[in-house]
Amino acid sequence: MTFERGIKRNVASEDRMNALELLRNQHREIEGLFDKMREESDARTKKQLLTQLASMLMGHTAIEEKLFYPSSQKLLTGDEQGQEKVLQFYEEHALVKTALESLIRTPANDKRWMARCKVLEELFHTHVQEEEQDLFARIEDEMSAEDLDRLGIQLERRWEAETSKTPTKRAGRRAPAKRAPARAATK
């Protein structure tokens, strides 16, 4: 089963997976793309793999930030340590996105490309380890199997919407600069 862009799963089918399985599978697939990028020497192929990685990373972080983390925070109400950990994960996502933007702007034949790729991979790997060992374990203990399945369906639907967007535009997107307020005309 794959989560690659363009592959649609029937969320009403028997093969649906719970939210944690879906996120773990996405983690493994993203890790596999990092492996391919590290092994690749052709600049054009590297850029193609980076486009795929960017789509997956941006889609993955979006579904976690918009659905999984808010659900986790709600479930961990009263657990100050758990709440703090979720906030840390939002911040780690911001670092991953910044590193991804830097890598996207770097030509694949630039000497810094591989260094930036390795930094991004390390950020992602550290984040995934903490997330799976700490947060996933807590959520598994607190959320029923039915609720995990329902959340999995929501995550899959959002995933499809997020990965249909252009990855490089989404990764490089910045908030527009604020304009100064218009001055009142004086007579």
Side-chain angles (χ1 to χ4, degrees):
M1 184 168 328
T2 184
F3 295 96
E4 291 182 26
R5 198 168 132 186
I7 304 294
K8 303 274 188 199
R9 292 187 57 216
N10 179 0
V11 293
S13 71
E14 295 289 324
D15 68 336
R16 81 172 62 119
M17 65 180 63
N18 78 35
L20 300 177
E21 291 172 0
L22 182 137
L23 295 174
R24 280 185 188 107
N25 286 347
Q26 289 180 357
H27 291 162
R28 299 299 85 77
E29 190 165 349
I30 291 167
E31 289 167 347
L33 282 172
F34 277 117
D35 291 342
K36 288 178 184 177
M37 287 171 60
R38 233 183 304 102
E39 295 167 3
E40 187 55 55
S41 59
D42 179 63
R44 185 175 173 171
T45 305
K46 282 183 187 178
K47 279 298 190 179
Q48 290 171 343
L49 289 168
L50 177 58
T51 299
Q52 188 178 358
L53 177 76
S55 177
M56 291 191 69
L57 268 176
M58 294 308 294
H60 179 76
T61 58
I63 67 173
E64 284 189 337
E65 291 174 2
K66 294 174 183 174
L67 295 171
F68 183 67
Y69 292 163
S71 295
S72 298
Q73 286 178 307
K74 192 179 293 183
L75 197 63
L76 298 172
T77 300
D79 178 353
E80 196 171 313
Q81 202 173 26
Q83 294 287 329
E84 187 176 315
K85 199 66 172 173
V86 174
L87 292 175
Q88 177 184 328
F89 292 141
Y90 279 110
E91 294 305 314
E92 289 173 0
H93 277 193
L95 292 173
V96 165
K97 290 175 192 175
T98 299
L100 177 61
E101 289 171 9
S102 178
L103 183 58
I104 288 170
R105 288 191 310 268
T106 306
N109 58 0
D110 188 305
K111 292 177 184 177
R112 297 169 296 171
W113 195 91
M114 188 51 72
R116 290 179 177 174
C117 183
K118 287 178 181 178
V119 167
L120 174 59
E121 181 178 14
E122 182 61 32
L123 287 169
F124 180 76
H125 178 73
T126 301
H127 169 75
V128 164
Q129 278 187 315
E130 291 178 12
E131 188 177 70
E132 289 184 3
Q133 291 172 3
D134 188 25
L135 183 60
F136 285 17
R138 289 178 189 219
I139 298 305
E140 226 160 18
D141 289 343
E142 299 291 327
M143 193 176 277
S144 72
E146 295 80 22
D147 287 341
L148 282 169
D149 286 342
R150 275 193 285 279
L151 182 57
I153 291 169
Q154 292 173 340
L155 291 172
E156 283 182 306
R157 287 183 180 148
R158 187 62 181 241
W159 168 260
E160 289 175 4
E162 291 294 333
T163 56
S164 67
K165 297 176 184 177
T166 305
T168 53
K169 288 182 181 175
R170 185 179 43 218
R173 180 173 51 191
R174 296 255 186 236
K178 292 185 177 181
R179 294 183 184 182
R183 292 188 215 181
T186 56
K187 292 185 180 181

